[in-house]
Amino acid sequence: MAERVVLHIGSMKSGTSFIQNVLGNNRDALAQHGISFAGEKWRDQVAAVQDLAAHGGPKQPPLEPAGAWQRLVDDINASPGTSVVSMEFLAPRMTPKIEIIRDALHGRLDVVLTGRDLARNIAAMWLESVQNGSAVTWDDYLAAVRSEDNVSPVARNFWNHQGLATIARRWSDVVGPEHFTVMTVPPKGASSSLLWERFAQVLELDPAAFELNVRANRSIGLATAITLRHLNEILARDGTPAADQRFYDLLVKHLLTKRGLVAREGEPTLGLDERWVMKRGAAEVTALRAQGHRVVGDLDELLPQPVRGIHPDQVSLAQQLDAAMEGLARMTQISMEREDKHRQRLRRRNARRRAQGGNP
């Protein structure tokens, strides 16, 4: 039986990938301390949360007894010691879903919400949205976030993931304030290990006992972002981007961007220094402070600071062309690699048929 479950619920763009990579790469070391990173692989957690998001709520089909969510729950409940789940899509869940989570898990449930300052997260969320197929311009994105209009898909999605005080209150009300922690992301320039040291504190571990040499989740440059947004605009015009989001994620988000264009050097970065962002971020910190949650880190680290960089209009056409040509080269390389693998498979298949006395 599980004794404790640590549920890291996000928020998005708050060092979640780093924490997940450290946990995933240190499974054996964690096991020596009686801690398991739930599921055989992290994708099991993703599938489970997606299953939970789509089932079991009002006007939704029921959760399947053998579905991805229940499989993860069964795995956690059967594991001795402490199980850890880290999945940023949990943060926006509404009260009925949080109650399902609370009631399904048998061990002591401790929930951790990581947060980063609003200025850095607005910029990061726009860049992430472009990698996910959005054609919304930076100016339109900013205007939507500022409006906080629940009718706008951009505003609704942003604040569902980044309204830290609202998320914290909702989760704390369900699981109990003694089982809820806000953990702040250190400011830019802090030690790269500090975020893990804070998470290890929640897990009651010595942070030095774990390997931190993990793949960084790097952000794309501004010229690349503009190029991708233009690509998304063309795809949307032709009616192709949302036809198969999984195909887009594989081909554009992962193969083109995260394994290719993210490595480009010397690109300008997106900047943000607007008074309303500073005021809105300060209001979020005031609300969190008033709620009185346990804090690992310092809520003052959530006070927005200007993000150094430039506006997309300041990126030259030459810089955009360079990014576009590198993207074209990357896609050509991917096509050639896939064609080569296809030919190798054909050669192996034909060789097997010849060895069996058949026709190739």
Side-chain angles (χ1 to χ4, degrees):
M1 294 284 291
E3 298 173 9
R4 184 188 185 205
V5 180
V6 176
L7 200 63
H8 176 214
I9 63 173
S11 58
M12 285 185 68
K13 314 310 295 182
S14 64
T16 52
S17 294
F18 172 74
I19 291 172
Q20 289 152 6
N21 285 334
V22 173
L23 292 169
N25 288 1
N26 285 274
R27 287 181 182 271
D28 292 342
L30 288 167
Q32 294 175 15
H33 294 81
I35 297 176
S36 61
F37 190 35
E40 292 186 7
K41 51 188 180 299
W42 181 69
R43 287 296 309 176
D44 294 338
Q45 298 186 20
V46 178
V49 174
Q50 289 173 335
D51 183 25
L52 177 69
H55 299 85
K59 299 182 180 179
Q60 290 182 324
L63 283 159
E64 293 289 340
W69 167 250
Q70 191 58 51
R71 290 197 302 272
L72 186 71
V73 167
D74 291 342
D75 175 65
I76 292 171
N77 288 340
S79 299
T82 296
S83 289
V84 182
V85 173
S86 177
M87 220 285 106
E88 58 269 31
F89 296 160
L90 283 167
R93 296 309 114 211
M94 296 295 109
T95 297
K97 294 294 178 74
I98 301 173
E99 291 173 342
I100 290 174
I101 295 169
R102 178 199 62 194
D103 296 342
L105 298 171
H106 295 167
R108 187 186 95 212
L109 179 61
D110 290 321
V111 176
V112 183
L113 172 67
T114 46
R116 189 168 70 156
D117 77 81
L118 187 62
R120 285 194 290 171
N121 263 7
I122 292 176
M125 288 286 283
W126 180 71
L127 294 172
E128 185 70 19
S129 75
V130 169
Q131 293 178 77
N132 286 323
S134 173
V136 176
T137 66
W138 170 238
D139 288 337
D140 287 346
Y141 190 90
L142 266 185
V145 170
R146 184 176 186 178
S147 74
E148 300 191 40
D149 181 2
N150 198 45
V151 177
S152 162
V154 169
R156 185 169 60 249
N157 179 72
F158 181 87
W159 290 109
N160 280 349
H161 285 280
Q162 299 299 333
L164 298 179
T166 299
I167 294 168
R169 183 178 62 251
R170 187 168 61 240
W171 277 86
S172 179
D173 285 348
V174 175
V175 303
E178 69 277 16
H179 297 290
F180 184 83
T181 300
V182 173
M183 191 176 93
T184 61
V185 174
K188 190 176 180 63
S191 167
S192 59
S193 65
L194 183 53
L195 183 63
W196 169 249
E197 290 169 10
R198 292 177 177 178
F199 197 76
Q201 179 180 333
V202 174
L203 295 179
E204 302 170 359
L205 292 171
D206 174 9
F210 300 90
E211 173 59 55
L212 302 187
N213 185 23
V214 300
R215 177 176 54 86
N217 186 24
R218 297 178 58 183
S219 178
I220 56 175
L222 189 51
T224 291
I226 295 170
T227 302
L228 283 177
R229 195 206 67 79
H230 193 192
L231 170 66
N232 296 336
E233 196 170 50
I234 294 172
L235 292 174
R237 182 189 64 202
D238 296 340
T240 55
D244 189 339
Q245 186 65 39
R246 290 179 299 175
F247 181 77
Y248 181 93
D249 287 348
L250 172 65
L251 190 60
V252 179
K253 181 176 181 178
H254 293 288
L255 294 180
L256 171 60
T257 306
K258 292 190 178 296
R259 297 186 187 179
L261 294 178
V262 75
R264 297 190 77 233
E265 301 288 345
E267 282 202 38
T269 57
L270 179 63
L272 178 58
D273 183 9
E274 296 204 17
R275 186 176 179 184
W276 71 265
V277 175
M278 309 305 156
K279 290 181 62 177
R280 182 61 180 84
E284 197 76 25
V285 172
T286 298
L288 280 170
R289 207 182 301 277
Q291 289 171 12
H293 305 292
R294 178 197 180 209
V295 176
V296 174
D298 189 336
L299 288 181
D300 283 346
E301 293 175 336
L302 301 182
L303 292 170
Q305 301 296 323
V307 178
R308 297 181 62 182
I310 63 174
H311 189 278
D313 288 347
Q314 296 175 274
V315 178
S316 70
L317 289 176
Q319 289 171 314
Q320 295 177 49
L321 179 60
D322 284 345
M325 292 307 296
E326 284 203 36
L328 180 59
R330 175 64 179 163
M331 296 305 289
T332 302
Q333 291 167 356
I334 292 170
S335 298
M336 293 173 66
E337 289 168 1
R338 289 191 165 191
E339 178 63 22
D340 183 56
K341 289 179 181 178
H342 176 65
R343 290 179 178 178
Q344 290 181 28
R345 285 195 297 269
L346 285 178
R347 285 196 291 268
R348 288 194 296 268
R349 186 193 67 184
N350 292 339
R352 286 195 301 270
R353 289 182 176 177
R354 283 193 296 267
Q356 296 168 358
N359 294 321

